[in-house]
Amino acid sequence: MARTHARAFADTSRGWSAQEIADLLQSPLVFALGDARAFALGRAIADEAELLTLATDPDHRRKGLARACLAAFEASAQARGARTAFLEVAADNAEARALYDKAGYGQTARRKGYYARRDSGPVDALILQKSIP
């Protein structure tokens, strides 16, 4: 997962290390879905779920894998009792924003300058939310 994450986010930020991912997965509230091509990490607490990250290896983009991982995240979150899903996305990540928009997520907040970029200044994070029936 760390390799996929690093490749997926190489242009914008640093990928998560294997230790960071392993530490997250130690929690019984955190779950992983997908494979080496694309994966989602989520966390469900009470009736809310958070998409911690969604990563697709650049060699496997445009194949519907991110959409499938997002759908699996929502189904798993729902099975864990979540009724609302949240996520953060960089304001300049047009592809991810289009994916989330198509999936029914709407913006609820903005965090100014949340993401650091290697070659440019900080980028806002958009907080998105969706009801999962």
Side-chain angles (χ1 to χ4, degrees), residues 66-114:
R67 182 176 36 244
C69 285
L70 182 60
F73 158 76
E74 292 173 1
S76 185
Q78 183 184 40
R80 295 165 189 268
R83 299 294 167 249
T84 306
F86 295 91
L87 61 89
E88 294 175 354
V89 63
D92 64 351
N93 189 338
E95 287 183 358
R97 289 180 62 191
L99 170 69
Y100 299 136
D101 185 55
K102 270 187 165 177
Y105 285 82
Q107 183 177 335
T108 60
R110 177 183 288 258
R111 290 189 176 140
K112 293 282 190 188
Y114 185 76

Side-chain angles (χ1 to χ4, degrees), residues 23-112:
D23 288 348
L24 282 168
L25 290 171
Q26 291 300 307
S27 169
L29 304 173
V30 175
F31 53 98
L33 307 149
D35 57 30
R37 299 169 302 155
F39 72 91
L41 278 178
R43 175 174 33 216
I45 302 171
D47 65 346
E48 295 182 350
E50 178 184 12
L51 180 64
L52 300 170
T53 194
L54 177 63
T56 303
D57 186 292
D59 291 342
H60 298 284
R61 288 186 178 150
R62 314 296 303 164
K63 298 177 182 178
L65 298 173
R67 182 176 36 244
C69 285
L70 182 60
F73 158 76
E74 292 173 1
S76 185
Q78 183 184 40
R80 295 165 189 268
R83 299 294 167 249
T84 306
F86 295 91
L87 61 89
E88 294 175 354
V89 63
D92 64 351
N93 189 338
E95 287 183 358
R97 289 180 62 191
L99 170 69
Y100 299 136
D101 185 55
K102 270 187 165 177
Y105 285 82
Q107 183 177 335
T108 60
R110 177 183 288 258
R111 290 189 176 140
K112 293 282 190 188

